[in-house]
């Protein structure tokens, strides 16, 4: 179930006091909280906002999140990934710190909104570093990119929007692993 289907493709009925919800999805049918063995909250998307005035989009999104996620949290006792912990773990600086504390190889990293600090970091990496955003946007995906000398005339822009810089580590592949309790 994609949370972005709410509220346009699915209709919520929730009694948080009694701990029960029902979702009626236009394509997937009806889902009752009592039929769930567990919930894995992964990569939530923006809620659909068909007909929402642009000035109200943030309000509508927040209301949808409160209703949808609130219903799930109050009616399911088995979240595979606790929402609060999941939000905390989604912070890239936290991810890097935990990975390093567990002994994983982590790249030299700088989070900054200082153009001067970014330039110094670039030079400290022998001009071989990458930059990336913390999150995506609704208007495009911005992948990790190499920082180059020709990028410096625009580097002033980070003063109003921080980014992550990392030394470039070359590799042949990327492995993503999910661990649930003692299973990998």
């Amino acid at each position: 179930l994609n949370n972005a289907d709410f509220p346009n493709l699915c209709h919520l009925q929730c009694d948080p006091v009694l701990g029960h919800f029902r979702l009626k999805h236009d394509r997937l049918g009806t889902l009752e909280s009592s039929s769930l063995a567990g919930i894995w909250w992964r990569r939530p998307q923006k809620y659909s906002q068909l007909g929402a005035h642009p000035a109200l989009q943030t309000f509508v999104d927040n209301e949808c999140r409160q209703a949808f996620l609130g219903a799930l949290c109050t009616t399911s006792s088995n979240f595979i990934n606790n929402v609060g912990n999941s939000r905390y773990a989604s912070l890239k600086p936290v991810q890097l710190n935990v990975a390093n504390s567990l002994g994983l190889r982590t790249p030299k990293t700088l989070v900054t909104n200082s153009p001067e600090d970014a330039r110094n970091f670039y030079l400290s990496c022998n001009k071989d570093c990458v930059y990336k955003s913390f999150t995506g946007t609704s208007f495009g995906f911005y992948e990790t990119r190499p920082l180059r000398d020709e990028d410096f005339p625009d580097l002033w822009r980070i003063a109003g929007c921080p980014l992550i810089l990392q030394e470039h580590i070359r590799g042949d592949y990327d492995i993503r692993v999910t661990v649930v309790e003692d299973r990998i």
Side-chain angles (χ1 to χ4, degrees):
L1 174 67
N2 185 345
N3 72 292
D5 289 348
F6 182 73
N8 294 332
L9 294 178
C10 65
H11 308 279
L12 172 67
Q13 185 182 66
C14 174
D15 183 336
V17 175
L18 296 178
H20 179 264
F21 80 84
R22 175 183 296 127
L23 284 173
K24 293 180 182 177
H25 195 286
D26 291 353
R27 291 191 312 257
L28 303 175
T30 300
L31 176 66
E32 302 273 349
S33 56
S34 59
S35 68
L36 296 177
I39 296 173
W40 182 15
W41 186 251
R42 183 169 188 270
R43 295 188 185 212
Q45 304 296 310
K46 283 190 162 267
Y47 295 91
S48 59
Q49 299 177 4
L50 186 63
H53 187 280
L56 297 175
Q57 286 184 350
T58 299
F59 172 76
V60 172
D61 190 58
N62 288 336
E63 294 298 293
C64 288
R65 181 179 50 79
Q66 283 284 329
F68 190 86
L69 186 55
L72 294 179
C73 288
T74 60
T75 59
S76 178
S77 61
N78 187 20
F79 258 87
I80 294 170
N81 55 338
N82 175 282
V83 174
N85 293 346
S86 187
R87 285 193 174 158
Y88 176 74
S90 72
L91 300 169
K92 290 192 187 306
V94 170
Q95 293 170 6
L96 288 161
N97 181 267
V98 170
N100 185 62
S101 73
L102 294 173
L104 297 173
R105 180 177 176 216
T106 53
K108 181 178 166 184
T109 303
L110 176 67
V111 173
T112 188
N113 69 325
S114 164
E116 181 181 347
D117 290 346
R119 182 185 304 272
N120 291 338
F121 183 84
Y122 173 71
L123 295 173
S124 77
C125 292
N126 299 315
K127 296 184 174 186
D128 190 19
C129 74
V130 298
Y131 67 98
K132 55 187 164 184
S133 62
F134 292 94
T135 62
T137 68
S138 61
F139 52 83
F141 174 74
Y142 296 96
E143 69 281 348
T144 300
R145 300 175 182 180
L147 186 61
R148 303 185 197 292
D149 288 333
E150 54 266 23
D151 296 324
F152 282 91
D154 287 324
L155 204 57
W156 64 270
R157 296 175 189 275
I158 71 167
C161 186
L163 53 72
I164 303 170
L165 296 143
Q166 292 181 313
E167 69 176 310
H168 183 208
I169 296 178
R170 300 193 191 297
D172 295 328
Y173 48 87
D174 181 23
I175 298 173
R176 299 199 180 248
V177 176
T178 300
V179 178
V180 177
E181 293 179 350
D182 61 349
R183 295 186 337 217
I184 297 175

